[in-house]
Every structure is written in C-alpha cells, then in structure tokens.
Amino acid sequence: MEASPKHLHLVDIESGEVHGTCPSCAALQDQLDGAHTDIKAWRARFSNLKRDKLADAQADPLWPRFVELHKFWRHATGHLRSGFGAPEFEMAAPILAKMDDEMCHRAILGAAFDPFITTRKNGSKKSHDGWHLVFSTRPKFEEAACKAPSDWKERRAALLAKIEPKSG
C-alpha cells in the first residue's frame, strides 16, 4: 500500500505553505474541536462545584468559629500568609462540632509549641505545625492538645490580646 506523495508533504518545507489536506485530517480536526469543547465544559462544572463548596462552607454555622480559629492558628504558628477555604473547613468541621474553643486553642498552641522539625537539604528548618496536622483527625487533634505547654492558658490570653486588641 503506497501513500500518495501529496499526503506525505502537507507543508512545503521551503515556504511553510500548507498544500491541501489529507482525507482524515478533517475528521481529526472535528475530534480535536470536540475535545476542546468538552474540556471547557468540565472546567465550568469544576469551577461551579468549587464555588458551591465555598458558599456551602460559609453558610455553615461553624464558619465564624473556623475563621477565628484559623486566624489564631496563623498567629500561633507564624503562618500569617496561609490561606483557607472550603477544604480546610471540611477537614476541621467534625472536630469543631465536638470541641470548644478552649480545647481548639490548646491543640493549636501544642502544635506551635512542640512541632516536629526537619532539616531541609539546604540547611533550613521545616516546622511541621500545619492546620492539617491539628484538625485532620481526632487522634492528631488530641496529640496536639497533649503537647501544649503548661502555661498554655497564659499564652492563649496573650495571643488573643495581640490578635484582637481591646478598643477603648
């Protein structure tokens, strides 16, 4: 079976000009156009789902507590630029529903006080005190609370005063 020469050289090497199309090129182009349409549709669906999850999280009665506790965690651990959203809320919601703020503050202060520290290849230190290491599971939460320093209530009061200065 021999292919015709005009289908072997669709582009003129010297000028870059396209000389006609092969018989299956139109069908392939249609498939490619359809794939692009599918990708755009899936991107739109994904964006809508993501947007809906955040709206659902913000409508939850636990959301205001979550925002305040995440702010406390950011200040306690020094992760001040750390963002948050629906995934962090969904992770913490089961624990937030069962634990009061005092216990959550204790766990956060425990993670900040006694984190697991590793040394990177460049010599810098990595402190493992992330939100997920406190709120992802009940055992991790309890372990973080057990690591709290003996003066955690004083540290809590000082940090809360720093975060929310009294007006007056």
Side-chain angles (χ1 to χ4, degrees):
M1 182 165 147
E2 213 173 286
S4 89
K6 68 179 181 180
H7 294 304
L8 292 177
H9 299 286
L10 293 174
V11 178
D12 185 351
I13 296 171
E14 294 174 8
S15 68
E17 222 178 298
V18 177
H19 296 288
T21 59
C22 65
S24 62
C25 289
L28 292 174
Q29 187 60 47
D30 290 343
Q31 287 178 1
L32 185 59
D33 292 342
H36 286 299
T37 303
D38 288 347
I39 290 170
K40 287 178 186 176
W42 279 106
R43 282 185 185 159
R45 282 187 215 123
F46 178 73
S47 294
N48 289 337
L49 285 173
K50 191 174 175 183
R51 193 174 312 114
D52 291 344
K53 283 187 176 188
L54 183 58
D56 291 345
Q58 290 172 338
D60 193 293
L62 292 171
W63 181 261
R65 276 188 69 213
F66 163 72
V67 172
E68 290 303 313
L69 286 168
H70 200 275
K71 182 178 177 183
F72 184 85
W73 169 81
R74 286 194 322 265
H75 282 84
T77 59
H79 299 295
L80 298 176
R81 297 183 312 182
S82 181
F84 64 92
E88 291 79 14
F89 174 77
E90 289 171 0
M91 178 191 327
I95 292 172
L96 294 179
K98 292 183 175 101
M99 299 295 175
D100 62 4
D101 284 352
E102 186 173 290
M103 192 62 166
C104 290
H105 287 149
R106 182 177 179 174
I108 290 167
L109 289 170
F113 178 73
D114 187 18
F116 180 69
I117 298 173
T118 55
T119 304
R120 296 181 181 113
K121 286 185 177 182
N122 66 4
S124 65
K125 302 289 184 184
K126 165 72 175 147
S127 181
H128 298 273
D129 53 8
W131 177 261
H132 67 287
L133 294 174
V134 180
F135 288 99
S136 61
T137 64
R138 180 78 181 249
K140 286 182 179 182
F141 179 84
E142 290 171 357
E143 177 60 23
C146 288
K147 294 193 299 185
S150 57
D151 65 342
W152 71 270
K153 287 185 180 182
E154 293 82 9
R155 291 176 188 233
R156 174 184 181 231
L159 188 54
L160 286 172
K162 179 182 169 189
I163 295 171
E164 302 165 2
K166 304 248 189 270
S167 60

